[in-house]
Amino acid sequence: MTPTLKLDAVCVGQPTALRVGKRDDISGIDKHPVPGRVTVGPARLDGDHIDNRKHHGGPDQAAYLYTAPDYDHWTQALGEPLRPGTLGENLVLSGLESAQLRVGDRLTVHAPDGDVVFEVTAPRIPCATLAAHMGDGTFAKQFAQARRPGAYLRVLQPGTVGAGDPVTFTPAGDGAPTIGELFDLWFGAKPGAATLEGYLRWPLAARLRKHVQEHLDDARG
């Protein structure tokens, strides 16, 4: 067990018009901190709009987590502080860096009405929607280079969460892949077949599992 952490913010997003390249879109990426308590269900936080369900949401990606150290990086890189929710996350966690999290790590939020348990499942991969939201066509590339992807979470035990709730971190077992290692698969990393087979032993999000399997098939030749 690590020392107890806490939730710095809980954020949700409403449907918002967004120009992505040459098309008009509707997205929930523009999230804002919510006062009080928010109900966490099996597939999303209550009141959180998820438009692109091919890449976001669902039981394996019910919530998106970013961390205070990751935000500290962007404050320095961009020259100004960003409000919680700017990068489209639902939860901001004090301490830890997202790339160091591992699939299978568990976060237990100690809420007044009962614990809520999340499990780390996958990194977030930057896209054109993120760049459009940030008003910078190069931001997806910057995000990839920063290697601070944040992590998607599976809900093992639903309930309610709120800013200030203490969080207990329980690490996955030895050998679990880090979020950083899995993030690198999208950007040129080519681990060997044995490493990829090892990744598949862990509770990856379904979309990520498919991606790892494709890499494994290529590695086997």
Side-chain angles (χ1 to χ4, degrees), residues 53-76:
R53 295 182 182 274
K54 179 179 179 180
H55 299 292
H56 306 284
D60 292 341
Q61 299 182 174
Y64 174 48
L65 173 80
Y66 216 60
T67 75
D70 291 331
Y71 261 119
D72 289 343
H73 164 83
W74 290 113
T75 294
Q76 183 174 9

Side-chain angles (χ1 to χ4, degrees), residues 125-174:
I125 307 304
C127 61
T129 299
L130 175 62
H133 171 61
M134 296 300 292
D136 182 350
T138 71
F139 191 78
K141 183 178 180 179
Q142 293 179 55
F143 191 88
Q145 291 173 338
R147 204 170 179 266
R148 293 178 177 274
Y152 283 116
L153 308 175
R154 177 183 292 121
V155 178
L156 299 182
Q157 185 169 306
T160 69
V161 296
D165 285 350
V167 179
T168 300
F169 173 77
T170 306
D174 292 341

Side-chain angles (χ1 to χ4, degrees), residues 85-202:
T86 297
L87 295 176
E89 79 283 356
N90 300 112
L91 306 173
V92 181
L93 182 69
S94 68
L96 305 179
E97 295 190 1
S98 62
Q100 297 175 1
L101 293 170
R102 294 177 182 272
V103 168
D105 287 346
R106 293 187 178 186
L107 301 166
T108 301
V109 180
H110 302 290
D113 51 352
D115 291 348
V116 179
V117 183
F118 296 98
E119 182 176 65
V120 175
T121 63
R124 185 260 198 90
I125 307 304
C127 61
T129 299
L130 175 62
H133 171 61
M134 296 300 292
D136 182 350
T138 71
F139 191 78
K141 183 178 180 179
Q142 293 179 55
F143 191 88
Q145 291 173 338
R147 204 170 179 266
R148 293 178 177 274
Y152 283 116
L153 308 175
R154 177 183 292 121
V155 178
L156 299 182
Q157 185 169 306
T160 69
V161 296
D165 285 350
V167 179
T168 300
F169 173 77
T170 306
D174 292 341
T178 69
I179 288 299
E181 289 169 335
L182 295 166
F183 185 71
D184 293 343
L185 290 178
W186 271 265
F187 302 103
K190 295 184 181 297
T195 297
L196 293 164
E197 288 170 353
Y199 292 172
L200 291 172
R201 298 189 187 107
W202 297 91

